[in-house]
Amino acid sequence: MLLQEFLGNAFNKYESISPLIAVTKMNDENSLIVDVRDPQEFIKSHIEDAQNIPLAKLEEQLPKLGKHKSHPLIVVCQTGARSATASKTLSKAGFEQVFNMAGGMQSWEDNKLPIKNSSKNKE
């Protein structure tokens, strides 16, 4: 089991980071937060300035993200599972700095980090 996890991490071209490390990455003015949850989840609570691109639409939205290929991309979902899938997709598409936020919004909120509620979807 430990070997499987080690090999999985060795071949991932993205890095899993905690919400607190994500905050330090967000301080880079070129970073982009990509929230891959469904719009109704995003509207309830999200990280300020996050772009909502549901996982099911990620591949078709890749051209819109093209200008961020060399910038830090912080990928988030509710628990970290969908964002791991999205992080793989982004890495395979040539994005150089992809970071999966481990634990997702659940962990973000558990750490009492700020959230934003909105009635509109940013794209």
Side-chain angles (χ1 to χ4, degrees), residues 14-103:
Y14 67 90
E15 184 179 337
S16 287
I17 57 173
S18 71
L20 298 175
I21 303 257
V23 169
T24 63
K25 300 253 182 235
M26 289 173 196
N27 289 331
D28 178 332
E29 65 185 47
N30 291 319
S31 68
L32 177 68
I33 306 156
V34 179
D35 190 320
V36 296
R37 295 176 299 159
D38 293 329
Q40 61 272 25
E41 294 173 286
F42 181 81
I43 288 168
K44 283 184 187 176
S45 71
H46 59 269
I47 299 168
E48 186 150 2
D49 297 326
Q51 284 194 23
N52 182 221
I53 303 174
L55 181 58
K57 296 182 185 256
L58 182 61
E59 288 198 39
E60 70 187 51
Q61 296 293 322
L62 287 175
K64 286 185 178 181
L65 295 173
K67 65 183 177 186
H68 299 283
K69 281 229 181 203
S70 63
H71 300 158
L73 292 183
I74 300 149
V75 188
V76 63
C77 67
Q78 190 60 34
T79 62
R82 286 177 282 180
S83 58
T85 300
S87 294
K88 287 177 190 172
T89 299
L90 290 163
S91 293
K92 284 180 183 175
F95 290 84
E96 298 169 14
Q97 297 184 64
V98 180
F99 301 95
N100 176 40
M101 193 169 77

